Amino acid sequence: MKQLLYCLLVVLFAPSLAAADMRFNMTPGVTEISGKVYHLHMTILYICCAIGLVVFSVMIYAIINHRKSKGAVASHFHESTKVEVAWTVLPFIILILMAIPATKTLIAMEDPSDADLTVKVTGSQWKWHYSYFDQDIDFYSILATPRAQIDGTETKGKNYLLEVDKPLVLPINRKIRFLMTSEDVIHSWWVPAFAVKKDANPGFINESWTRIDKPGIYRGQCAELCGKDHGFMPIVVQALSEADFEAWVTEQKQAAGAAAATAALSQTLSKDELITQGEKVYLGHCAACHQPNGEGLQGVFPHLKGSPIATGPLGGHLEIVLNGKTGTAMQAFSKQLSAQEIAAVITYERNAWGNNTGDAVQAKDVSEHRSGNPNVQASVATAPTSTTQNPTPTAEAAAVVDPASLPTLTHDALMAEGETVYATTCAACHQLTGAGVPPAFPALAGSTIATGPVASHINIVMHGKAGTAMQAFGKQLSPQQLAAVITYERNAWGNNTGDTVQPADIASHGQ
């Protein structure tokens, strides 16, 4: 009997000795909370195992010793008070015993008070933005796995898809409070070693905290399906000793000051140097949406190859890269990239994929555009290094054109030109068939805009629509191009309104 009892104890408690080293088990982590979560997990697991052992032991005993071949006769009883009380009270007691430690752990996990350091964590597609409160330090953390590994042309590294260009740096032995939010969709910041997993919701702030016990590098990733590159949104935390962390903070502040001083200097790079650097920036920040070949994703992310932005006025290109575009997925990169990086990536976009504008944008041009100097845009657009072909007339230029001076074109000529303009400017969102991608991009085939009053159609194409992804094309297209594309939209895909819009109608609109 003693031997049987000893064997039972070994079966119950031996696994706990190696549980922490099991590959598929939860790990104890490197924080007090993660340790509590681990021990709670193991305690509940052992309780469940013990219940299963008792239930299956009684069941097997009953099957063997009360089988029909031994002449066993089943007892008949009903409404046994003892049985009713037993199977009600015992599970209740077990649940209470499980709930007490679970409640204590959950309360501890949700108590971010008295923090020594606060870090704001902002998720966006597809990177993390970290801001240290009271330290004036903030930066973006982006996937650093080489594109060649992702494409399968190189052997995958040890930390494939779990490496970033700038890790979140935190001190050990300090209580760190996290404020989680998002710029676009729901993300989830998850680092298993800290037992921290908290959703980042747009428009809301969620709180969490940790206190790391030992230095090291700890990895995690976004745990919420947040879009097509959800798997390319890793988290890397570098935990330093308190002294090393203070040194890192000082280094970051000095580097920021040095970077600001460097940015103020007038540095001129050759076009080839800008394109080389710009290609790296583009692949790291832009290719996820606009694709490495610049052709975008039809109906979702617009193409840059041959687009009015990448081949039109430099001022408009600078503006959209620096400040983004409201109502679309285009982010503002003014705070994400340095002036030199922005200059390089714009130069690359204006000369790659056959765009070949010849433009070379310098860091000083970006800095001056940020400052809002009106002379900058003019100097950029007419810089000696710029050989932009087929410049697009601005809305201001269209506004002063005499309608009588504009040509009158045939319906067929407008339809032919309009189809070309639509394919290069509008089809990325509304599709070549005019069917759109509802609800993000409405259909034009049979729509009230394309078949309703002409004035309303002209107005929305020229001035866009606030709160939606519809851009204002009055500054991007000439009166003739606008007239052509509106004529095309009103007569294609079965709309057949018969309307013919002339350039003079565009120039006189709103006057």
Side-chain angles (χ1 to χ4, degrees):
M1 185 64 184
K2 288 184 178 180
Q3 291 179 344
L4 180 61
L5 179 60
Y6 290 152
C7 291
L8 180 61
L9 291 174
V10 169
V11 170
L12 287 176
F13 296 106
S16 64
L17 301 177
D21 298 325
M22 290 182 180
R23 180 180 177 186
F24 298 107
N25 193 27
M26 181 178 287
T27 61
V30 292
T31 68
E32 180 184 0
I33 287 295
S34 65
K36 288 182 178 180
V37 171
Y38 170 77
H39 292 301
L40 175 64
H41 162 73
M42 297 308 300
T43 299
I44 302 301
L45 176 63
Y46 291 144
I47 291 174
C48 293
C49 289
I51 292 171
L53 181 63
V54 171
V55 171
F56 279 99
S57 297
V58 172
M59 185 176 68
I60 293 171
Y61 174 81
I63 292 172
I64 294 174
N65 291 282
H66 297 281
R67 63 186 186 273
K68 184 177 180 181
S69 62
K70 292 186 67 174
V73 179
S75 299
H76 295 276
F77 59 90
H78 301 280
E79 300 179 2
S80 171
T81 303
K82 292 181 180 179
V83 173
E84 295 284 352
V85 170
W87 72 32
T88 301
V89 173
L90 286 178
F92 178 78
I93 293 174
I94 293 171
L95 288 174
I96 292 297
L97 293 176
M98 294 167 68
I100 291 173
T103 302
K104 289 181 178 179
T105 302
L106 287 172
I107 291 173
M109 292 175 69
E110 298 297 329
D111 179 23
S113 60
D114 301 322
D116 300 309
L117 175 66
T118 298
V119 178
K120 180 183 176 185
V121 180
T122 305
S124 61
Q125 296 176 312
W126 289 271
K127 51 185 168 284
W128 297 101
H129 182 213
Y130 300 114
S131 299
Y132 294 72
F133 281 27
D134 302 323
Q135 299 290 350
D136 196 27
I137 297 174
D138 71 281
F139 55 87
Y140 284 83
S141 183
I142 301 170
L143 176 72
T145 297
R147 194 78 202 175
Q149 291 186 20
I150 297 173
D151 294 337
T153 56
E154 286 185 5
T155 303
K156 292 175 171 50
K158 178 181 178 182
N159 297 310
Y160 176 68
L161 296 185
L162 290 175
E163 50 197 335
V164 298
D165 58 346
K166 294 180 181 178
L168 174 64
V169 179
L170 299 175
I172 64 172
N173 301 324
R174 290 188 190 177
K175 187 170 184 178
I176 301 152
R177 174 188 178 215
F178 298 112
L179 300 179
M180 314 284 192
T181 189
S182 170
E183 289 183 346
D184 35 53
V185 299
I186 299 176
H187 302 277
S188 186
W189 200 82
W190 175 47
V191 179
F194 302 163
V196 173
K197 180 179 179 291
K198 185 68 69 172
D199 280 356
N201 300 319
F204 294 89
I205 297 289
N206 287 331
E207 290 184 287
S208 189
W209 71 276
T210 192
R211 181 184 281 110
I212 308 170
D213 294 334
K214 57 183 180 181
I217 294 179
Y218 307 104
R219 303 178 189 274
Q221 54 195 147
C222 178
E224 186 70 40
L225 187 59
C226 59
K228 77 178 189 68
D229 278 355
H230 158 68
F232 301 147
M233 197 171 173
I235 300 161
V236 179
V237 180
Q238 183 178 9
L240 302 177
S241 66
E242 295 181 74
D244 289 342
F245 177 75
E246 293 300 332
W248 177 83
V249 169
T250 302
E251 179 184 340
Q252 293 301 303
K253 291 181 177 179
Q254 292 175 347
T262 303
L265 298 177
S266 177
Q267 183 182 15
T268 302
L269 300 179
S270 68
K271 188 174 77 170
D272 290 341
E273 291 173 328
L274 288 165
I275 290 176
T276 300
Q277 182 182 0
E279 183 177 14
K280 295 179 181 178
V281 176
Y282 181 88
L283 292 175
H285 294 79
C286 314
C289 294
H290 297 291
Q291 303 300 292
N293 60 10
E295 295 183 358
L297 293 175
Q298 188 173 9
V300 183
F301 302 114
H303 60 91
L304 295 179
K305 179 180 179 180
S307 75
I309 289 295
T311 60
L314 283 169
H317 200 164
L318 280 164
E319 178 67 23
I320 198 167
V321 173
L322 284 167
N323 301 317
K325 189 171 184 64
T326 304
T328 73
M330 180 60 191
Q331 304 174 23
F333 286 93
S334 178
K335 294 184 178 180
Q336 301 186 37
L337 302 175
S338 67
Q340 186 63 64
E341 290 173 324
I342 291 175
V345 76
I346 289 177
T347 301
Y348 174 73
E349 290 173 353
R350 298 183 71 81
N351 292 278
W353 320 301
N355 288 343
N356 302 333
T357 65
D359 296 329
V361 184
Q362 300 297 335
K364 66 177 182 179
D365 301 326
V366 176
S367 179
E368 290 174 349
H369 189 91
R370 279 174 172 164
S371 68
N373 184 348
N375 295 325
V376 175
Q377 297 182 22
S379 65
V380 171
T382 59
T385 56
S386 173
T387 57
T388 305
Q389 299 175 359
N390 300 324
T392 303
T394 64
E396 290 75 13
V400 297
V401 171
D402 180 7
S405 68
L406 295 172
T408 299
L409 305 176
T410 65
H411 183 83
D412 290 342
L414 286 165
M415 286 292 290
E417 182 176 357
E419 183 176 11
T420 302
V421 176
Y422 180 87
T424 58
T425 308
C426 314
C429 295
H430 297 291
Q431 306 296 293
L432 287 170
T433 60
V437 186
F441 306 110
L444 294 179
S447 73
T448 54
I449 288 295
T451 59
V454 175
S456 299
H457 198 164
I458 294 174
N459 190 66
I460 197 170
V461 173
M462 289 186 68
H463 306 298
K465 186 173 181 180
T468 72
M470 180 60 193
Q471 306 176 31
F473 287 96
K475 294 183 179 180
Q476 300 184 36
L477 302 177
S478 69
Q480 181 170 322
Q481 290 173 317
L482 290 168
V485 76
I486 292 173
T487 299
Y488 176 75
E489 290 174 354
R490 299 185 68 81
N491 293 278
W493 321 301
N495 289 343
N496 302 334
T497 65
D499 295 325
T500 301
V501 181
Q502 296 294 340
D505 300 326
I506 302 298
S508 60
H509 181 77
Q511 293 184 359

